[in-house]
Amino acid sequence: MEEEIVPTLPLPEAFLNFLNENGLDSSIYSSTTTNTTPRYIRVKPSEGEAHIPELEAEINCKLDKVDWLPNFYSIPPHIQIASTNSYRQGNVYGMDAASGAAVLALNVVPGDHVLDLCAAPGAKLCMLADLLGSSGSLTGVDIAKHRLAACRTMLQKYSLSDHCRLFVADGTSFSLVPLRVSESGNKSLKSTDALLCEDTMDTYKEWTSKRSWKERKRAQKERNGITSQIVLKSHEPELIFYGRQSGVVGLSKREILQAASGNDLSDAGYDKVLVDAECTHDGSIKHIQKFDQWGWKTLQRRVLDAERTDTLANLQATSASL
């Protein structure tokens, strides 16, 4: 009889039972394994490999190219890239290989109109924007406004925001059509200091991070708990960001919130849709290791709770039927 390898991490009995029921070896969560599991970074294709030697010199470590995943490299788990020039300049960012594989499977080509229904926190959105380049369009949707704001920050940091727009909305009911902007028909304004339009104004002007009095008051209400950070399905989508070449500039709110009808879908729908819905259980080694610090009762509450997994199963089934 083969001797069982007991992990050094104090995994809770409920999680061990979960692994056993699904035929998974608990030893993969041992400290030895977690200390050797690589991390992954993605280099912006526009930069090519020009910054690789500089980055290797800064972190005193050689990057290992991931052959099956373009522009991805693996690094040892203890290596930090946040203080490097390449990271600060937006030429490289951390991204799981599994996330990159999901985007690669979508087979995005320049000119596609792509919808990311679970966009936060934004790494896949950035990769999609990279693949699209200066063509097509990218629409990011997430139900949590504070998480979608992180997407906005990432897109701007890595200079990938021009053709993207972000909506706070319930992905299971989102039905807004993409904006198809031709080079000759682009309505973007040239002014760099125009303000985001209010509901009472005719058209959207170039987006700016400077918020109006009305927007500041709305944000204050949200912080006070008057308005939930999670949007309800019955609420209309809220546009919180749009790039200069996204087609939004010059349009009215009514035009932006135009939903697709049955007759529109063949001509006006999205070419590709990415739905990376929340997992029933995230068994990745790195994520499970975090609960050693957070407390294993937190794992029981967040991951293994029967009511929660039932709710997520229904969510996944709904997403799959979209």
Side-chain angles (χ1 to χ4, degrees), residues 89-288:
Q89 293 169 4
N91 298 319
V92 61
Y93 52 90
M95 184 176 181
D96 289 341
S99 297
V103 175
L104 187 65
L106 205 57
N107 193 29
V108 171
V109 295
D112 275 345
H113 297 276
V114 182
L115 172 62
D116 185 353
L117 279 178
C118 305
K124 287 188 287 294
L125 200 68
C126 286
M127 183 173 174
L128 286 169
D130 254 337
L131 294 174
L132 287 170
S134 59
S135 65
S137 70
L138 179 59
T139 300
V141 174
D142 203 272
I143 199 171
K145 186 173 183 178
H146 62 289
R147 285 173 54 80
L148 195 63
C151 293
R152 179 176 61 198
T153 299
M154 284 193 68
L155 287 168
Q156 292 178 291
K157 175 179 179 179
Y158 297 113
S159 302
L160 295 168
S161 61
D162 265 4
H163 289 74
C164 186
R165 57 181 187 159
L166 300 177
F167 287 97
V168 182
D170 186 327
T172 63
S173 59
F174 185 82
S175 60
L176 303 188
V177 297
L179 299 177
R180 299 173 180 267
V181 182
S182 64
E183 291 184 6
S184 59
N186 191 350
K187 298 181 180 180
S188 297
L189 299 182
K190 300 299 183 182
S191 172
T192 57
D193 54 3
L195 299 178
L196 174 65
C197 83
E198 297 297 329
D199 295 345
T200 56
M201 296 179 68
D202 292 332
T203 60
Y204 283 93
K205 297 181 180 179
E206 189 171 319
W207 189 88
T208 175
S209 58
K210 296 179 180 179
R211 294 181 299 175
S212 65
W213 177 86
K214 182 178 179 180
E215 286 292 320
R216 293 197 300 271
K217 290 293 289 184
R218 184 182 302 162
Q220 182 63 46
K221 286 183 179 180
E222 290 175 354
R223 287 193 294 269
N224 293 339
I226 297 175
T227 303
S228 173
Q229 286 279 358
I230 304 297
V231 70
L232 300 177
K233 183 179 294 190
S234 59
H235 288 189
E236 70 177 20
E238 178 187 355
L239 181 64
I240 70 164
F241 175 79
Y242 52 90
R244 284 181 290 182
Q245 306 299 324
S246 65
V248 170
V249 177
L251 296 183
S252 66
K253 182 177 180 180
R254 178 183 57 79
E255 290 172 308
I256 296 298
L257 298 181
Q258 177 185 354
S261 67
N263 296 327
D264 294 333
L265 295 178
S266 60
D267 297 326
Y270 294 92
D271 300 300
K272 309 284 172 61
V273 180
L274 179 63
V275 184
D276 187 11
E278 187 176 5
C279 301
T280 303
H281 169 255
D282 188 339
S284 68
I285 294 172
K286 285 296 183 182
H287 288 187
I288 293 299

Side-chain angles (χ1 to χ4, degrees), residues 52 140 317:
I52 297 301

Side-chain angles (χ1 to χ4, degrees), residues 34-84:
T34 56
N35 288 334
T36 57
T37 302
R39 295 172 57 231
Y40 294 91
I41 61 173
R42 183 172 188 272
V43 177
K44 288 180 62 176
S46 58
E47 305 299 329
E49 298 183 351
H51 293 274
I52 297 301
E54 178 187 351
L55 179 58
E56 289 178 331
E58 284 190 277
I59 63 177
N60 193 28
C61 174
K62 181 172 176 56
L63 303 181
D64 291 326
K65 192 170 186 176
V66 181
D67 293 332
W68 58 274
L69 199 55
N71 305 113
F72 275 76
Y73 295 82
S74 65
I75 58 176
H78 65 279
I79 297 295
Q80 302 296 321
I81 64 170
S83 61
T84 65

